[in-house]
Amino acid sequence: MKDVEEIRGWLLVLCLVLLVWEPLQFAVAASAGIESVRVRGAAVAVVLLVRGGVTAFGAAAGIAIVRRRQAAIRMTIAALVAAAAVDLFTELTPFFPSNRIPGDAPLYAAASVLFYGAWVLYVARSSRVRRTLTS
């Protein structure tokens, strides 16, 4: 358990984002999106599959951090970029249902880019993350 105890601070928060928040967010989106497959067709199903895959990849990155795997940094950056890309796609295209007020999609897209961009910068530039995951 010593490895898990050393993961603290913002790196622990990132693990919680990847292992808890992202899967919960996907579950909520899937429960809303699955109902619209009949109306909107296969495009919604494809978006759900891609989003599920990206969520699973993010969870794998979170597990790699917890287990302090050598590829955890690169894997986490790739998972965060993929999650941002999926968020942008779902916010800025009509393929996935949304209850947003018209005109708010660019605000949500910008918030998503800021959120994931900040995490990517943290993982890529933090010397403590490198020390924790490469020791």
Side-chain angles (χ1 to χ4, degrees), residues 100-111:
R100 310 265 192 261
I101 297 172
D104 279 358
L107 298 175
Y108 283 94

Side-chain angles (χ1 to χ4, degrees), residues 35-56:
E35 292 295 321
S36 63
V37 170
R38 287 179 286 185
V39 176
R40 293 180 181 237
V44 174
V46 170
V47 171
L48 280 173
L49 286 172
V50 170
R51 198 166 183 178
V54 168
T55 301

Side-chain angles (χ1 to χ4, degrees), residues 28-98:
V28 170
S31 67
I34 201 76
E35 292 295 321
S36 63
V37 170
R38 287 179 286 185
V39 176
R40 293 180 181 237
V44 174
V46 170
V47 171
L48 280 173
L49 286 172
V50 170
R51 198 166 183 178
V54 168
T55 301
F57 184 55
I63 292 168
I65 292 170
V66 170
R67 293 185 177 170
R68 295 175 48 169
R69 298 292 186 225
Q70 189 172 19
I73 292 174
R74 284 174 287 168
M75 191 174 180
T76 302
I77 290 170
L80 292 168
V81 169
V86 168
D87 271 8
L88 286 175
F89 182 81
T90 56
E91 290 295 337
L92 300 176
T93 64
F95 294 108
F96 200 77
S98 161

